[in-house]
Amino acid sequence: MKATIITIGDEILIGQIVDTNSAWMGQQLNNVGVSVYEIITINDDRVHILSAFAKAEQQSDLVLITGGLGPTKDDVTKSTICEYFDDELVLNQTVLEHIENIFSKYVKDAILPANRDQALVPSKARILHNDYGTAPGLWMEKNDTIFVSMPGVPFEMKGIMTSGVLPEIIKKGNLPFIHHRTMITAGVGESTIAKRIEAWENALPETIKLAYLPSSGMVRLRLSSIGMDRVEVETSVAAQVKALYDLIGDIIVGESNGESLVHTVFNLLKEKRKTIATAESCTGGKIANLITEIPGASTVFKGSTITYATQSKIDILGIEGKLIDENSVVSAEVATAMAAQARVKFKSDIAIATTGNAGPSKGDSDAEVGTVYIGIADENGAEACKFLMGNNRERVVQKTVNKSLELLQKILIKK
Amino acid sequence: MKATIITIGDEILIGQIVDTNSAWMGQQLNNVGVSVYEIITINDDRVHILSAFAKAEQQSDLVLITGGLGPTKDDVTKSTICEYFDDELVLNQTVLEHIENIFSKYVKDAILPANRDQALVPSKARILHNDYGTAPGLWMEKNDTIFVSMPGVPFEMKGIMTSGVLPEIIKKGNLPFIHHRTMITAGVGESTIAKRIEAWENALPETIKLAYLPSSGMVRLRLSSIGMDRVEVETSVAAQVKALYDLIGDIIVGESNGESLVHTVFNLLKEKRKTIATAESCTGGKIANLITEIPGASTVFKGSTITYATQSKIDILGIEGKLIDENSVVSAEVATAMAAQARVKFKSDIAIATTGNAGPSKGDSDAEVGTVYIGIADENGAEACKFLMGNNRERVVQKTVNKSLELLQKILIKK
C-alpha cells in the first residue's frame, strides 16, 4: 500500500511553523506496512487542492490530508472535498452532540453557529471521532483510493490516526512488513565508511537497501527491507547487520531501531535502573529537554541545571570560583566539577555536563568558538573530554548533544 | 516569483527526521519577495525525481532542491540532474581544491576518490560555494526556471542559501514586498473571535488575507499582503491592524512580526535590559531551551533549573520540604517559591517557574493530569496562577510554555 500525505495551509509554506505531522505519520504508516510515496504541502487554494487530490489518487492507495478544518471561513478543505467527491454537506447528529458536549464541559465561550457547522460533513464520509477537538476526521473512498481528512493540530491528528485510521488500515490486511535497522557510527566520514564496506555493499541482496545518513559528527547506516514474511525479512536483515558489525564494529557506537539516540539512552537507563541528571551550559537544556519529551521520563530523570552565566555555575552548582579562575569556565576541570556536583546535588547515578562556546561571539571565556568540554560522572568518579565542534552555532550545539548521548550510551552499555 | 521546494531522500518519508529545512527556506524566500507555491518530499528514485522536476518547472520560476548530494552511491540527485538537463559531469578545479583543503584542515581520514568525485559537477551548472561542507550548491536554468540543488544538511544548506542563492535572487530585481503581521490572542476560541470581527473581516480589502492559526490555548490572527510598493503595503495592513485592536484589543496579548513569541520576549528583555532565569518542572527545560536557541541569549538568560524530582526542588532550589508537604508539589505556593528562589539563586531580574502534572500518569503529587501552576517573580515579589491544560501530555507542556511566554511578555511590556 502506497500513501501520499497532503498538508493544506500556508503556515508551513511561509515558514511560520515546521511540519512535524508528516514525519509522525510516516513513522506510523511504516509500522503497519504502508510506504509513504510523497509528502506535499500546498496553499489552501481550491484549484491547487483539487489537482493535488487528483495526482494523489492516481499515484497512491491512501491519501492522508491534514489542515483546513477549522470553524472559520478561511478554511476551504471541507467544501473542496465535497467538490472532488461530487458530494454535499449534511448534519451529523453524533458530531453535533460531541461539539456541544465539549463546549459545555471545557469551553467558557458560548457555542456559536460556526461551531455547530463543524458537524456538517460530506454525506459520503465515514466519521472518525476526534477525542481532543471539535472537527471530526473524514474517511472517503474513490476508485479504490482511500482519502482521510484530519485537522492539522498535531495532538488531534494523532488521536484520530491512532484510534480511527491505523486500526482500519491494519484490518484491510495483506500489508507487508517494513523493517529498518539503523547503526550509529561515530568518528569516521561517510566516504571512508563506504570504502571499508564497499565489497559488502556491492554484494547486498536487492531486497535490502542501504542508506547513509550523515548528521553532526555521526553517520547512521540504515538497512531497510520490505516483505510479506516478517521472520524472513528480519532474519535476512539481521544477517547483514552481523556482517556489518564484523566489518566496522570498531566505529559502531550503537543502534537505534527506528528510534533516536535519546530513546536508546532512555531505554538503557530504565533497563539498568539508573537515574540521570544534567548540568548544561552551551547546550542550554537541550539534553534534558530531549529526555523529558519521552513519556515516563520522571522514572530516570532527576533534573538539570542550565548554568549559562558563569556566576550561576558557582551559585547553583557550587563550583568553586577559584577553579573557574584558574582553569577558565570552558575547561576540563570545570566540566568535571559540573558533572560531579550535578550528580551529588540531584542524587542521581549518572550526571553529564557541558561547557563550551557555541558562538557566534566569545562568551565568558577565551576559548575559541566551537570548543566544548563534556563531563561525565558516575559512582567511579568524574572525567571530561575536549571537542572542537566547528564554527557554526547550530552545529556546535547539535554535535555536543549527540556526543553527550553517545557518551551516555557507551557508559550505560557497560553497566 | 513562485518557488517550489523539493526535498529528496526517504528519511523524511519514513519519519526518521522532521523536515526543518523547508520552513526555514519558506521564511527566507518570503523575506525577499518570493512566494512558496508547493513543498514536496520524494524518495531518491530517478523516475520520481524527474517527474517532480518537470512539474516544478511548469508551475514555478524557482526550484530549490535539497538532499542527495553525498559522496556515496546511494545518492542519485546529481546524475538525475544531468539527465534532466541533458548534461554531463565535469571536474571543477575550485571545488576540488576546497575539498582537499577541508580534508587537510579538519578531517583525520585520508581523502578518497569518492570525496574527490564531489568536485564532479554538471557542466552547465554555476557553482555555489559551500562554506561548511564538501558538496557545492548547483545553480542551473531551463526555460526561464531556476533550479538550485543543495545538500540536505541544514547548516550547509543555510550557508549556501544565505551567501549564494538569496543575494542572486534579489539581484534579479522586480520582486514584490511580502508582508505578514500576526496578532496573538489568548483565552477565546477561533469561532468567537470570528464572530466578534465578522463585519470587519467581510469588509477587508481583497489585497489583504486573514488567517486564523489556532495553537495550544491561543489563536494567532495573521494578516498577509503582497505588493510592489513597500510603504503602501505596510500602511494598508497597519490600518487593518489598528481596526483589529479597536475591536478585540482586550484579547490580543501581543504581536509577533513573523517571529515566534519567544523572540518577542527576548527582544523585550534586551530592550528593557532585564535578565531572566527559569525554574522548570513539567516543562522539562523547554522554556530555557527556546530562549537559548536565539543567538545572543547569554545577554538576557542567566540560567535554569529543571527540578523534575520533588527532592531536587529542595536540594537545588532550596524550597522548604515543609512547604511541599503542606501544599503538595503541584501548588501555587510551590510555584511561587520556585520562581522567587530561582530569581535569588540566578541573580536575575525576573524568574518564571512551572510545576504541574503533564501526565500520562500522576507523578509526585495528587494533582489531576493537566493541572499546572506558573509562578513569576520580579522585584515586586512573586505570585502564581493555576491552569487546567487538558489530558494530553504534549498539549499540556506546549500550553504551559505558551502561557509562560505570554505572562513574561505581559510583565515585560509594563516595565
Side-chain angles (χ1 to χ4, degrees), chain A residues 10-11 16 27 38-39 41 48 73 109 115 155 158 189 191 202 222 286 292-293 303-304 306 315 347 394-395, chain B residues 10 15-16 38-39 41 48 73 109 115 155 158 189 191 202 220 222 286 292-293 303-304 306 315 347 393-395:
Chain A
D10 58 7
E11 237 191 327
Q16 202 161 25
Q27 247 172 37
E38 192 170 291
I39 300 169
T41 305
H48 200 169
K73 61 198 277 186
D109 309 334
N115 301 117
F155 57 84
K158 288 177 188 174
S191 44
N202 288 334
R222 191 189 62 225
K286 250 196 168 53
T292 58
E293 275 180 355
S304 176
I306 307 169
D315 296 339
K347 302 188 172 75
E394 191 181 332
R395 179 164 53 165
Chain B
D10 58 8
Q16 202 161 25
E38 191 171 292
I39 299 169
T41 306
H48 200 170
K73 59 198 280 184
D109 308 334
N115 302 117
F155 57 85
K158 288 177 187 174
S191 45
N202 288 335
R220 286 161 298 142
R222 191 188 62 225
K286 251 194 169 53
T292 57
E293 274 180 356
S304 176
I306 308 170
D315 297 338
K347 301 189 173 73
R393 181 183 173 87
E394 190 181 333
R395 179 165 53 166

Short mmCIF file of all heavy atoms in Angstrom, two decimals, chain A residues 10-11 16 27 38-39 41 48 73 109 115 155 158 189 191 202 222 286 292-293 303-304 306 315 347 394-395, chain B residues 10 15-16 38-39 41 48 73 109 115 155 158 189 191 202 220 222 286 292-293 303-304 306 315 347 393-395:
data_model
loop_
_atom_site.label_atom_id
_atom_site.label_comp_id
_atom_site.label_asym_id
_atom_site.label_seq_id
_atom_site.Cartn_x
_atom_site.Cartn_y
_atom_site.Cartn_z
N ASP A 10 -1.02 27.67 4.47
CA ASP A 10 0.23 28.33 4.10
C ASP A 10 1.16 28.60 5.27
O ASP A 10 2.22 29.15 5.09
CB ASP A 10 -0.06 29.62 3.31
CG ASP A 10 -0.91 30.58 4.08
OD1 ASP A 10 -1.18 30.31 5.27
OD2 ASP A 10 -1.33 31.60 3.50
N GLU A 11 0.78 28.15 6.47
CA GLU A 11 1.65 28.37 7.62
C GLU A 11 3.02 27.72 7.44
O GLU A 11 4.04 28.23 7.87
CB GLU A 11 1.00 27.81 8.89
CG GLU A 11 0.84 28.85 9.96
CD GLU A 11 0.43 28.23 11.28
OE1 GLU A 11 -0.28 27.22 11.29
OE2 GLU A 11 0.83 28.78 12.30
N GLN A 16 6.10 29.74 8.96
CA GLN A 16 5.69 30.14 10.30
C GLN A 16 5.75 28.95 11.26
O GLN A 16 5.99 29.11 12.44
CB GLN A 16 4.28 30.74 10.26
CG GLN A 16 3.97 31.65 11.44
CD GLN A 16 2.80 32.58 11.17
OE1 GLN A 16 1.93 32.31 10.36
NE2 GLN A 16 2.77 33.71 11.87
N GLN A 27 6.19 7.57 10.13
CA GLN A 27 6.60 6.54 11.08
C GLN A 27 5.48 5.53 11.33
O GLN A 27 5.67 4.32 11.25
CB GLN A 27 6.88 7.21 12.42
CG GLN A 27 8.32 7.19 12.86
CD GLN A 27 8.46 8.06 14.11
OE1 GLN A 27 7.59 8.10 14.98
NE2 GLN A 27 9.56 8.78 14.18
N GLU A 38 4.99 10.12 -1.16
CA GLU A 38 5.20 11.55 -1.36
C GLU A 38 4.54 12.33 -0.24
O GLU A 38 3.47 11.96 0.23
CB GLU A 38 4.58 11.94 -2.71
CG GLU A 38 4.93 13.31 -3.22
CD GLU A 38 4.46 13.50 -4.67
OE1 GLU A 38 5.02 12.87 -5.58
OE2 GLU A 38 3.52 14.28 -4.87
N ILE A 39 5.19 13.41 0.17
CA ILE A 39 4.57 14.36 1.11
C ILE A 39 4.49 15.69 0.37
O ILE A 39 5.48 16.15 -0.19
CB ILE A 39 5.42 14.54 2.39
CG1 ILE A 39 5.58 13.22 3.13
CG2 ILE A 39 4.80 15.59 3.31
CD1 ILE A 39 6.62 13.26 4.25
N THR A 41 3.00 19.80 0.51
CA THR A 41 2.40 20.90 1.26
C THR A 41 1.93 21.96 0.29
O THR A 41 2.71 22.42 -0.56
CB THR A 41 3.43 21.54 2.22
OG1 THR A 41 3.97 20.52 3.05
CG2 THR A 41 2.78 22.59 3.10
N HIS A 48 -5.66 24.35 -6.49
CA HIS A 48 -4.44 23.62 -6.16
C HIS A 48 -4.77 22.35 -5.36
O HIS A 48 -4.18 21.28 -5.57
CB HIS A 48 -3.51 24.54 -5.37
CG HIS A 48 -2.07 24.10 -5.37
ND1 HIS A 48 -1.04 24.89 -4.92
CD2 HIS A 48 -1.49 22.95 -5.76
CE1 HIS A 48 0.10 24.24 -5.03
NE2 HIS A 48 -0.14 23.07 -5.53
N LYS A 73 -14.01 30.98 8.23
CA LYS A 73 -14.19 30.99 6.78
C LYS A 73 -12.91 30.92 5.97
O LYS A 73 -12.95 30.80 4.75
CB LYS A 73 -15.02 32.21 6.37
CG LYS A 73 -14.38 33.55 6.74
CD LYS A 73 -15.39 34.66 6.72
CE LYS A 73 -15.61 35.19 5.34
NZ LYS A 73 -16.50 36.36 5.33
N ASP A 109 -16.52 30.11 26.32
CA ASP A 109 -17.27 30.89 25.33
C ASP A 109 -18.60 30.20 25.03
O ASP A 109 -18.73 28.98 25.16
CB ASP A 109 -16.51 30.97 23.99
CG ASP A 109 -15.07 31.43 24.16
OD1 ASP A 109 -14.81 32.14 25.15
OD2 ASP A 109 -14.24 31.06 23.32
N ASN A 115 -19.47 26.95 15.27
CA ASN A 115 -19.04 25.73 15.94
C ASN A 115 -19.95 24.56 15.56
O ASN A 115 -19.48 23.46 15.30
CB ASN A 115 -19.06 25.91 17.45
CG ASN A 115 -18.16 27.06 17.90
OD1 ASN A 115 -18.62 28.03 18.47
ND2 ASN A 115 -16.88 26.92 17.63
N PHE A 155 -1.96 17.04 18.14
CA PHE A 155 -2.50 16.01 19.03
C PHE A 155 -3.88 15.55 18.60
O PHE A 155 -4.27 14.42 18.86
CB PHE A 155 -2.46 16.44 20.50
CG PHE A 155 -3.18 17.71 20.78
CD1 PHE A 155 -4.55 17.70 21.00
CD2 PHE A 155 -2.52 18.92 20.81
CE1 PHE A 155 -5.24 18.87 21.25
CE2 PHE A 155 -3.19 20.09 21.05
CZ PHE A 155 -4.55 20.08 21.27
N LYS A 158 -3.08 13.07 15.76
CA LYS A 158 -2.52 11.83 16.31
C LYS A 158 -3.60 10.96 16.93
O LYS A 158 -3.59 9.74 16.80
CB LYS A 158 -1.43 12.15 17.34
CG LYS A 158 -0.16 12.68 16.73
CD LYS A 158 0.89 13.06 17.78
CE LYS A 158 2.06 13.77 17.13
NZ LYS A 158 3.03 14.28 18.11
N GLY A 189 34.16 9.59 8.50
CA GLY A 189 33.30 10.19 7.48
C GLY A 189 32.61 9.14 6.60
O GLY A 189 33.00 7.97 6.54
N SER A 191 32.45 8.74 3.34
CA SER A 191 33.15 8.09 2.23
C SER A 191 34.15 7.04 2.73
O SER A 191 34.38 6.03 2.07
CB SER A 191 33.86 9.14 1.37
OG SER A 191 34.52 10.07 2.18
N ASN A 202 28.32 -3.93 -2.28
CA ASN A 202 28.08 -4.39 -3.64
C ASN A 202 27.39 -5.75 -3.68
O ASN A 202 26.68 -6.06 -4.63
CB ASN A 202 29.40 -4.47 -4.42
CG ASN A 202 29.93 -3.08 -4.73
OD1 ASN A 202 29.16 -2.12 -4.82
ND2 ASN A 202 31.24 -2.96 -4.88
N ARG A 222 21.50 2.93 7.54
CA ARG A 222 20.20 2.29 7.70
C ARG A 222 20.00 1.19 6.66
O ARG A 222 20.17 1.42 5.47
CB ARG A 222 19.08 3.32 7.57
CG ARG A 222 17.71 2.76 7.99
CD ARG A 222 16.59 3.73 7.65
NE ARG A 222 16.53 3.93 6.22
CZ ARG A 222 16.40 5.11 5.64
NH1 ARG A 222 16.31 6.22 6.36
NH2 ARG A 222 16.35 5.21 4.34
N LYS A 286 19.10 21.39 26.16
CA LYS A 286 18.61 20.55 25.06
C LYS A 286 18.64 19.06 25.40
O LYS A 286 17.77 18.30 24.97
CB LYS A 286 19.47 20.79 23.81
CG LYS A 286 18.73 21.53 22.73
CD LYS A 286 19.43 21.44 21.38
CE LYS A 286 18.52 21.94 20.28
NZ LYS A 286 17.96 23.27 20.49
N THR A 292 13.07 14.67 28.66
CA THR A 292 11.74 14.88 29.26
C THR A 292 10.62 14.86 28.24
O THR A 292 9.45 14.84 28.61
CB THR A 292 11.68 16.20 30.06
OG1 THR A 292 12.00 17.28 29.19
CG2 THR A 292 12.63 16.17 31.23
N GLU A 293 10.95 14.86 26.94
CA GLU A 293 9.89 14.71 25.94
C GLU A 293 9.35 13.29 25.90
O GLU A 293 8.28 13.04 25.35
CB GLU A 293 10.41 15.10 24.56
CG GLU A 293 10.30 16.59 24.31
CD GLU A 293 10.81 16.99 22.94
OE1 GLU A 293 11.33 16.14 22.21
OE2 GLU A 293 10.71 18.20 22.63
N GLY A 303 16.78 15.68 37.11
CA GLY A 303 16.69 17.12 36.90
C GLY A 303 17.94 17.65 36.25
O GLY A 303 18.82 16.90 35.84
N SER A 304 17.99 18.97 36.16
CA SER A 304 19.06 19.58 35.39
C SER A 304 19.29 21.01 35.86
O SER A 304 18.37 21.66 36.36
CB SER A 304 18.64 19.59 33.91
OG SER A 304 19.59 20.27 33.14
N ILE A 306 20.75 24.58 34.14
CA ILE A 306 21.29 25.24 32.96
C ILE A 306 21.99 26.48 33.48
O ILE A 306 21.36 27.45 33.87
CB ILE A 306 20.18 25.61 31.96
CG1 ILE A 306 19.33 24.37 31.66
CG2 ILE A 306 20.77 26.17 30.68
CD1 ILE A 306 18.07 24.68 30.90
N ASP A 315 26.93 29.69 42.01
CA ASP A 315 25.80 29.82 42.95
C ASP A 315 24.91 28.58 42.97
O ASP A 315 24.39 28.20 44.02
CB ASP A 315 24.95 31.05 42.58
CG ASP A 315 25.73 32.34 42.73
OD1 ASP A 315 26.74 32.34 43.47
OD2 ASP A 315 25.34 33.35 42.11
N LYS A 347 21.33 13.82 43.39
CA LYS A 347 21.33 12.43 43.89
C LYS A 347 21.03 11.44 42.77
O LYS A 347 20.19 10.53 42.92
CB LYS A 347 20.32 12.27 45.03
CG LYS A 347 20.57 13.20 46.23
CD LYS A 347 19.65 12.83 47.39
CE LYS A 347 19.99 13.59 48.65
NZ LYS A 347 19.56 15.01 48.63
N GLU A 394 24.60 26.49 15.52
CA GLU A 394 23.61 25.42 15.49
C GLU A 394 24.30 24.04 15.50
O GLU A 394 23.89 23.14 16.22
CB GLU A 394 22.79 25.59 14.20
CG GLU A 394 21.56 24.75 14.11
CD GLU A 394 20.84 24.99 12.77
OE1 GLU A 394 20.96 26.10 12.20
OE2 GLU A 394 20.18 24.05 12.30
N ARG A 395 25.36 23.93 14.71
CA ARG A 395 26.06 22.66 14.62
C ARG A 395 26.79 22.32 15.91
O ARG A 395 26.82 21.18 16.35
CB ARG A 395 27.05 22.69 13.44
CG ARG A 395 27.83 21.40 13.30
CD ARG A 395 28.52 21.27 11.96
NE ARG A 395 29.35 22.42 11.64
CZ ARG A 395 30.26 22.42 10.67
NH1 ARG A 395 30.44 21.35 9.92
NH2 ARG A 395 30.97 23.49 10.41
N ASP B 10 14.53 9.45 1.63
CA ASP B 10 13.40 8.83 2.31
C ASP B 10 13.43 9.00 3.82
O ASP B 10 12.55 8.51 4.51
CB ASP B 10 13.24 7.36 1.90
CG ASP B 10 14.49 6.56 2.18
OD1 ASP B 10 15.40 7.11 2.82
OD2 ASP B 10 14.54 5.39 1.77
N GLY B 15 9.80 9.00 8.34
CA GLY B 15 9.64 9.65 9.64
C GLY B 15 10.86 9.57 10.53
O GLY B 15 10.76 9.73 11.74
N GLN B 16 12.04 9.34 9.93
CA GLN B 16 13.24 9.28 10.77
C GLN B 16 13.68 10.69 11.19
O GLN B 16 14.24 10.85 12.26
CB GLN B 16 14.36 8.55 10.01
CG GLN B 16 15.43 7.98 10.91
CD GLN B 16 16.26 6.90 10.21
OE1 GLN B 16 16.38 6.86 8.98
NE2 GLN B 16 16.83 6.00 10.98
N GLU B 38 4.64 25.38 -3.38
CA GLU B 38 4.49 23.97 -3.01
C GLU B 38 5.79 23.45 -2.40
O GLU B 38 6.87 23.83 -2.83
CB GLU B 38 4.16 23.17 -4.28
CG GLU B 38 3.72 21.76 -4.07
CD GLU B 38 3.20 21.14 -5.38
OE1 GLU B 38 2.13 21.55 -5.87
OE2 GLU B 38 3.88 20.24 -5.91
N ILE B 39 5.65 22.58 -1.39
CA ILE B 39 6.81 21.85 -0.85
C ILE B 39 6.54 20.38 -1.09
O ILE B 39 5.46 19.88 -0.77
CB ILE B 39 6.98 22.10 0.66
CG1 ILE B 39 7.21 23.58 0.95
CG2 ILE B 39 8.14 21.27 1.22
CD1 ILE B 39 7.11 23.94 2.43
N THR B 41 8.17 16.32 -0.83
CA THR B 41 9.22 15.42 -0.38
C THR B 41 9.07 14.09 -1.11
O THR B 41 7.99 13.51 -1.11
CB THR B 41 9.10 15.17 1.14
OG1 THR B 41 9.09 16.41 1.81
CG2 THR B 41 10.26 14.32 1.65
N HIS B 48 10.90 9.26 -10.19
CA HIS B 48 10.10 10.17 -9.37
C HIS B 48 10.74 11.57 -9.33
O HIS B 48 10.06 12.59 -9.41
CB HIS B 48 9.97 9.59 -7.97
CG HIS B 48 8.82 10.15 -7.19
ND1 HIS B 48 8.41 9.64 -5.99
CD2 HIS B 48 7.99 11.20 -7.42
CE1 HIS B 48 7.38 10.34 -5.52
NE2 HIS B 48 7.12 11.29 -6.38
N LYS B 73 27.25 6.03 -2.92
CA LYS B 73 26.49 5.61 -4.10
C LYS B 73 24.98 5.60 -3.92
O LYS B 73 24.24 5.39 -4.87
CB LYS B 73 26.98 4.26 -4.59
CG LYS B 73 26.86 3.15 -3.55
CD LYS B 73 27.73 1.97 -3.90
CE LYS B 73 27.08 1.10 -4.96
NZ LYS B 73 27.88 -0.11 -5.23
N ASP B 109 40.48 11.45 8.49
CA ASP B 109 40.50 10.37 7.50
C ASP B 109 41.28 10.82 6.26
O ASP B 109 41.33 12.00 5.95
CB ASP B 109 39.08 10.01 7.01
CG ASP B 109 38.13 9.73 8.16
OD1 ASP B 109 38.62 9.34 9.24
OD2 ASP B 109 36.92 9.93 7.99
N ASN B 115 35.49 11.25 -2.29
CA ASN B 115 35.47 12.64 -1.85
C ASN B 115 35.82 13.56 -3.01
O ASN B 115 35.19 14.60 -3.20
CB ASN B 115 36.45 12.87 -0.70
CG ASN B 115 36.16 11.97 0.49
OD1 ASN B 115 36.98 11.13 0.87
ND2 ASN B 115 34.97 12.13 1.07
N PHE B 155 22.80 23.20 8.19
CA PHE B 155 23.68 24.38 8.23
C PHE B 155 24.43 24.57 6.92
O PHE B 155 24.79 25.68 6.56
CB PHE B 155 24.62 24.36 9.44
CG PHE B 155 25.48 23.15 9.52
CD1 PHE B 155 26.68 23.09 8.84
CD2 PHE B 155 25.10 22.06 10.28
CE1 PHE B 155 27.48 21.97 8.90
CE2 PHE B 155 25.89 20.93 10.35
CZ PHE B 155 27.08 20.89 9.66
N LYS B 158 21.79 26.25 4.70
CA LYS B 158 21.59 27.65 5.11
C LYS B 158 22.74 28.54 4.65
O LYS B 158 22.53 29.68 4.23
CB LYS B 158 21.43 27.73 6.64
CG LYS B 158 20.11 27.18 7.12
CD LYS B 158 20.01 27.20 8.65
CE LYS B 158 18.74 26.48 9.10
NZ LYS B 158 18.68 26.35 10.57
N GLY B 189 -11.86 31.29 21.88
CA GLY B 189 -11.77 30.36 20.74
C GLY B 189 -11.89 31.05 19.40
O GLY B 189 -12.36 32.19 19.28
N SER B 191 -13.86 30.57 16.81
CA SER B 191 -15.16 30.97 16.26
C SER B 191 -15.72 32.19 16.98
O SER B 191 -16.41 33.01 16.37
CB SER B 191 -16.14 29.80 16.33
OG SER B 191 -16.05 29.17 17.58
N ASN B 202 -15.41 40.81 6.73
CA ASN B 202 -16.13 40.86 5.46
C ASN B 202 -15.76 42.09 4.64
O ASN B 202 -15.83 42.07 3.41
CB ASN B 202 -17.65 40.86 5.72
CG ASN B 202 -18.12 39.49 6.18
OD1 ASN B 202 -17.49 38.48 5.90
ND2 ASN B 202 -19.22 39.47 6.93
N ARG B 220 -3.69 32.75 16.78
CA ARG B 220 -2.98 33.85 16.13
C ARG B 220 -3.77 34.27 14.90
O ARG B 220 -4.32 33.44 14.19
CB ARG B 220 -1.57 33.40 15.75
CG ARG B 220 -0.63 33.28 16.95
CD ARG B 220 0.58 32.43 16.62
NE ARG B 220 0.15 31.08 16.28
CZ ARG B 220 0.70 30.33 15.33
NH1 ARG B 220 1.71 30.79 14.63
NH2 ARG B 220 0.25 29.13 15.09
N ARG B 222 -3.33 36.20 11.45
CA ARG B 222 -2.28 36.73 10.58
C ARG B 222 -2.88 37.48 9.41
O ARG B 222 -3.75 36.98 8.71
CB ARG B 222 -1.40 35.59 10.05
CG ARG B 222 -0.14 36.10 9.35
CD ARG B 222 0.60 34.98 8.67
NE ARG B 222 -0.22 34.39 7.64
CZ ARG B 222 -0.36 33.09 7.45
NH1 ARG B 222 0.27 32.23 8.22
NH2 ARG B 222 -1.13 32.63 6.48
N LYS B 286 11.98 23.30 28.45
CA LYS B 286 11.59 23.77 27.12
C LYS B 286 11.64 25.29 27.00
O LYS B 286 11.98 25.81 25.93
CB LYS B 286 10.16 23.31 26.80
CG LYS B 286 10.12 22.24 25.74
CD LYS B 286 8.74 22.03 25.19
CE LYS B 286 8.78 21.16 23.95
NZ LYS B 286 9.47 19.89 24.10
N THR B 292 17.56 29.84 24.71
CA THR B 292 18.98 29.67 24.38
C THR B 292 19.21 29.32 22.92
O THR B 292 20.35 29.31 22.46
CB THR B 292 19.66 28.62 25.27
OG1 THR B 292 18.97 27.37 25.13
CG2 THR B 292 19.66 29.04 26.72
N GLU B 293 18.14 29.01 22.18
CA GLU B 293 18.33 28.79 20.74
C GLU B 293 18.59 30.09 19.99
O GLU B 293 19.04 30.08 18.85
CB GLU B 293 17.09 28.10 20.15
CG GLU B 293 17.16 26.59 20.30
CD GLU B 293 15.94 25.89 19.73
OE1 GLU B 293 15.01 26.58 19.28
OE2 GLU B 293 15.93 24.65 19.75
N GLY B 303 20.08 31.48 33.51
CA GLY B 303 20.16 30.04 33.68
C GLY B 303 18.84 29.47 34.13
O GLY B 303 17.82 30.16 34.18
N SER B 304 18.88 28.18 34.43
CA SER B 304 17.63 27.48 34.70
C SER B 304 17.89 26.26 35.57
O SER B 304 18.97 25.68 35.53
CB SER B 304 17.04 27.03 33.36
OG SER B 304 15.89 26.27 33.55
N ILE B 306 16.03 22.54 36.18
CA ILE B 306 14.93 21.64 35.83
C ILE B 306 14.84 20.66 36.98
O ILE B 306 15.67 19.76 37.12
CB ILE B 306 15.20 20.91 34.50
CG1 ILE B 306 15.55 21.93 33.41
CG2 ILE B 306 13.99 20.09 34.08
CD1 ILE B 306 16.07 21.31 32.15
N ASP B 315 16.70 20.31 47.18
CA ASP B 315 18.17 20.33 47.17
C ASP B 315 18.76 21.43 46.30
O ASP B 315 19.79 22.02 46.64
CB ASP B 315 18.71 18.97 46.68
CG ASP B 315 18.31 17.84 47.63
OD1 ASP B 315 18.02 18.13 48.80
OD2 ASP B 315 18.29 16.68 47.18
N LYS B 347 20.36 35.37 40.46
CA LYS B 347 20.53 36.83 40.46
C LYS B 347 19.97 37.45 39.19
O LYS B 347 20.62 38.26 38.51
CB LYS B 347 22.01 37.19 40.61
CG LYS B 347 22.66 36.65 41.88
CD LYS B 347 24.06 37.24 42.07
CE LYS B 347 24.67 36.87 43.41
NZ LYS B 347 25.09 35.45 43.49
N ARG B 393 -0.46 14.89 27.16
CA ARG B 393 0.86 15.29 27.65
C ARG B 393 1.52 16.37 26.78
O ARG B 393 1.96 17.40 27.28
CB ARG B 393 1.77 14.05 27.70
CG ARG B 393 3.17 14.34 28.21
CD ARG B 393 4.03 13.07 28.15
NE ARG B 393 5.41 13.37 28.48
CZ ARG B 393 5.91 13.40 29.69
NH1 ARG B 393 5.14 13.15 30.72
NH2 ARG B 393 7.18 13.70 29.91
N GLU B 394 1.54 16.11 25.47
CA GLU B 394 2.19 17.03 24.55
C GLU B 394 1.54 18.42 24.62
O GLU B 394 2.22 19.45 24.65
CB GLU B 394 2.04 16.44 23.14
CG GLU B 394 2.84 17.12 22.08
CD GLU B 394 2.59 16.47 20.70
OE1 GLU B 394 2.24 15.26 20.65
OE2 GLU B 394 2.72 17.18 19.69
N ARG B 395 0.21 18.42 24.68
CA ARG B 395 -0.52 19.69 24.72
C ARG B 395 -0.31 20.42 26.04
O ARG B 395 -0.17 21.64 26.07
CB ARG B 395 -2.01 19.44 24.48
CG ARG B 395 -2.84 20.71 24.53
CD ARG B 395 -4.21 20.55 23.96
NE ARG B 395 -4.95 19.44 24.55
CZ ARG B 395 -6.25 19.25 24.40
NH1 ARG B 395 -6.95 20.10 23.67
NH2 ARG B 395 -6.86 18.24 24.94
#
